[in-house]
Amino acid sequence: MKIIKHIFALLFLIAVSNVGLAQSQKRADKDTAAWRYEIEAVQTGVQGTYLIKVWSYSKKPEVATEQSKKNAIHGVIFKGFTGTTGVPGQSPLANNVNLEDEKADFFKPFFSEGGKYMKFVSLSNDGAVAAEDRMKIGKEYKIGLIVAVNVAELRKDLENAGVIKSLSSGF
């Protein structure tokens, strides 16, 4: 009987923690849907890789940290970024401003939680946020993380999916 009580208590704790994770994920998805972020060049990465700082916004700093990977990929595809001294800026991979809406059937699963975007991005410093990269602005946080994006592989994947034209297509 005592074992059964422990099992029920354990199951209850698991259920409660899953509800908390689901709520956190809903908040993260809502924050990402607005695509509120800034990107800046940090340094030149290894060939085919951009090393960028992504500033993400959320009421919870851990949500902003997690969403920085999605924001980095979204920025490389749709926004590009300006350069800094010694580090060139980059144009977005997509040259069609309506591409995200036109190819929503591709991008919705691509940017879903654990989606394909994860193959092309990694956090530097294991996602540790420097003190100067964590700011409280009103009721939300602005979190800056340095992210590496494998642009060569991302471009190849988008070209193979027919989402963007290849550089060799002449368009």
Side-chain angles (χ1 to χ4, degrees):
M1 192 66 174
K2 198 173 194 181
I3 293 174
I4 293 174
K5 285 182 181 180
H6 287 301
I7 291 173
F8 280 125
L10 182 61
L11 290 174
F12 177 76
L13 287 174
I14 291 171
V16 168
S17 65
N18 283 340
V19 169
L21 290 173
Q23 292 298 325
S24 178
Q25 188 54 50
K26 284 181 184 178
R27 162 57 70 195
D29 290 342
K30 183 179 175 186
D31 288 348
T32 299
W35 295 116
R36 291 179 48 234
Y37 61 88
E38 301 162 27
I39 295 181
E40 59 189 59
V42 173
Q43 70 183 52
T44 306
V46 295
Q47 181 139 5
T49 302
Y50 295 163
L51 202 56
I52 55 179
K53 181 176 275 190
V54 180
W55 294 92
S56 301
Y57 298 85
S58 181
K59 289 183 179 180
K60 295 185 176 185
E62 58 277 359
V63 170
T65 300
E66 187 56 34
Q67 297 310 107
S68 64
K69 293 181 261 185
K70 283 184 187 180
N71 291 340
I73 296 293
H74 189 271
V76 167
I77 296 171
F78 299 108
K79 289 186 176 183
F81 53 91
T82 57
T84 60
T85 306
V87 183
Q90 298 295 327
S91 298
L93 296 179
N95 55 10
N96 176 354
V97 295
N98 298 318
L99 184 66
E100 189 172 8
D101 293 330
E102 291 173 7
K103 301 284 186 174
D105 56 328
F106 174 83
F107 285 113
K108 189 163 178 86
F110 183 84
F111 283 115
S112 67
E113 195 58 35
K116 198 170 184 182
Y117 78 94
M118 295 287 292
K119 288 177 40 177
F120 310 106
V121 65
S122 61
L123 296 176
S124 66
N125 297 342
D126 295 323
V129 180
E132 64 271 13
D133 292 337
R134 179 185 171 118
M135 297 173 233
K136 180 95 165 145
I137 301 174
K139 292 184 177 183
E140 65 182 2
Y141 289 89
K142 178 179 178 182
I143 304 291
L145 283 170
I146 297 175
V147 178
V149 177
N150 186 335
V151 182
E153 290 298 315
L154 175 60
R155 173 182 287 284
K156 189 186 312 181
D157 189 72
L158 294 174
E159 288 172 357
N160 290 341
V163 174
I164 63 172
K165 292 183 175 24
S166 73
L167 292 175
S168 62
S169 70
F171 295 101

